[in-house]
Amino acid sequence: MKGTTIALDHWQGREAAALIVDGQLEDLLIDTDLPRPGTIYRGIADRPVKGQGGMFLRTPDGNAFLRQVKGLKPGQPLLVQVTGYAELGKAIPVTQRILFKSRYAIVTPGAPGINVSRRIKDDDAREMVKEAAHEGMAEVPLPEDAGLILRSCCADATPEDITEDVIAMCQLATAVLSDAGSEAEILSEGDGPHAQAWREWTDPAHVASEEHSFEHHDVLDMIDAALQAHVPLPGGYSMIIEPTSALVAVDINTGGDTSFSAGLKANLAALKDLPRQLRLRGLGGQIIVDPAPCPKKERKQLEGSLRAALKRESTETILAGWTQLGLMEIQRKRDRVALKTLRKNKG
């Protein structure tokens, strides 16, 4: 099936959104019982952790951890934003670098200036976007010392939509930043999967929000495939993806291909699909890839293939290098809860 579809539905009782491109599941967002990334708290400084250069904070959702703090005293209130999901038994990760992010506009406290995405190259389009933003800011000004980023999808938006988005973000930022409370409180809830899909999946797409849309678009079968360790690849190759408590292990296999170039072809096919597989499965942290047999001279080509596949990733992912045993080391930010964990938690 050609084209792009965004399916909005629920999976095992959780709000969920699926991005399907040419019949293949490209991304999957599923709600959790944990604080959502993007949530803004008024946190209360609790106790410093000198060895880690951070501070534990009290929030309505439990302890949070803030890195690189200076001059912060216990009992002091401060605004922080959730940056990801907490690992089991650990505090909620937060930052003081707050962003108010929507589909077309991002308000950036502490970083003044109006910036238009470099992806909008047409001068007339850039001027239209700026004028629409200034019209919004004329109605609701930016908070003091705050800036505005106008995202690339503004190029395909109407001036009215941009203006409306800028007004909404300026209103939210002004309300949160002017807060003068002193107790731990949630000031702004992070977006759920449906709102996040609208915000981040901005390419032209058919939106399917009818009841049972996941079933109608075969999303349930594609989720089941993402829950399996075995990943079939074009050419008869495969890889096995198995998360452990310490790392994610990826094993690439040539299958029945015994040709001289089997190892290279299997590795290229696997590394091209690996970022998508990690994204769908909600996997991050340390990732160790055991490639199919390949000589050292092919490593540069494999690195280039992986880096090309990572260009479209919004999640920070770093190729750290190779071990002495010939394993690839990858570090990926934990910004989602593992798909298997969500299934287990729902029984």
Side-chain angles (χ1 to χ4, degrees):
M1 183 186 297
K2 295 294 183 180
T4 300
T5 298
I6 296 173
L8 306 177
D9 202 344
H10 289 74
W11 180 71
Q12 296 193 352
R14 300 179 184 276
E15 183 180 301
L19 177 65
I20 309 155
V21 179
D22 296 337
Q24 177 175 266
L25 186 61
E26 283 293 326
D27 206 350
L28 180 66
L29 303 172
I30 300 175
D31 209 1
T32 76
D33 299 324
L34 300 172
R36 294 169 174 169
T39 296
I40 300 173
Y41 296 121
R42 184 197 311 119
I44 308 299
D46 193 4
R47 55 187 177 88
V49 185
K50 294 183 179 179
Q52 299 181 38
M55 173 80 77
F56 281 111
L57 313 176
R58 297 196 308 275
T59 79
D61 293 322
N63 285 338
F65 184 71
L66 177 65
R67 296 184 181 277
Q68 299 175 340
V69 295
K70 290 184 179 179
L72 197 58
K73 298 179 180 179
Q76 180 178 336
L78 68 159
L79 299 184
V80 292
Q81 188 168 41
V82 179
T83 59
Y85 292 103
E87 297 179 53
L88 184 63
K90 294 189 178 181
I92 305 164
V94 295
T95 180
Q96 286 184 283
R97 296 181 63 182
I98 294 172
L99 295 176
F100 298 90
K101 189 174 183 180
S102 188
R103 183 180 178 94
Y104 302 115
I106 304 174
V107 174
T108 58
I114 310 300
N115 296 286
V116 180
S117 169
R118 293 180 182 177
R119 294 184 181 180
I120 303 177
K121 301 186 183 298
D122 182 78
D123 290 339
D124 291 339
R126 293 179 68 87
E127 192 61 31
M128 178 277 289
V129 168
K130 287 181 180 179
E131 288 181 2
H134 281 292
E135 186 174 335
M137 290 183 291
E139 183 170 335
V140 181
L142 281 168
E144 185 178 355
D145 198 36
L148 184 71
I149 297 174
L150 297 164
R151 306 181 69 189
S152 59
C153 59
C154 287
D156 300 316
T158 65
E160 293 77 15
D161 284 343
I162 297 171
T163 298
E164 183 179 329
D165 214 35
V166 169
I167 290 173
M169 287 300 97
C170 287
Q171 288 175 333
L172 177 61
T174 299
V176 171
L177 296 176
S178 61
D179 172 75
S182 58
E183 299 297 326
E185 186 178 344
I186 299 174
L187 301 179
S188 178
E189 187 78 43
D191 288 335
H194 292 181
Q196 193 177 349
W198 172 81
R199 191 187 77 198
E200 299 299 335
W201 298 342
T202 56
D203 290 341
H206 166 67
V207 178
S209 57
E210 71 277 6
E211 190 176 2
H212 304 306
S213 66
F214 273 17
E215 183 178 349
H216 295 162
H217 294 277
D218 298 324
V219 175
L220 298 178
D221 290 339
M222 290 187 274
I223 292 177
D224 286 342
L227 286 164
Q228 307 304 313
H230 180 264
V231 182
L233 299 169
Y237 310 118
S238 66
M239 63 177 161
I240 307 295
I241 302 176
E242 295 183 307
T244 72
S245 59
L247 51 83
V248 177
V250 180
D251 182 29
I252 303 174
N253 301 302
T254 58
D257 190 345
T258 58
S259 66
F260 178 77
S261 59
L264 177 61
K265 290 188 289 185
N267 289 330
L268 291 176
L271 294 176
K272 180 181 179 181
D273 196 40
L274 182 59
R276 183 179 74 93
Q277 292 294 338
L278 296 174
R279 185 167 64 244
L280 297 181
R281 296 158 190 260
L283 298 177
Q286 300 178 73
I287 300 160
I288 303 298
V289 180
D290 183 9
C294 65
K296 285 187 178 181
K297 65 181 181 180
E298 293 178 354
R299 290 185 179 181
K300 289 292 183 182
Q301 187 175 355
L302 299 185
E303 292 173 13
S305 176
L306 178 59
R307 289 197 171 98
L310 290 172
K311 282 186 177 180
R312 295 178 58 199
E313 287 295 294
S314 58
T315 300
E316 182 181 356
T317 308
I318 299 170
L319 172 57
W322 297 78
T323 72
Q324 290 185 345
L325 294 176
L327 308 176
M328 296 182 79
E329 294 182 301
I330 300 169
Q331 185 71 33
R332 183 178 175 89
K333 182 181 178 182
R334 297 180 188 271
D335 64 350
R336 299 187 182 184
V337 175
L339 184 59
K340 283 191 175 181
T341 299
L342 293 176
R343 181 183 64 174
K344 290 178 181 177
N345 287 347
K346 295 300 289 186

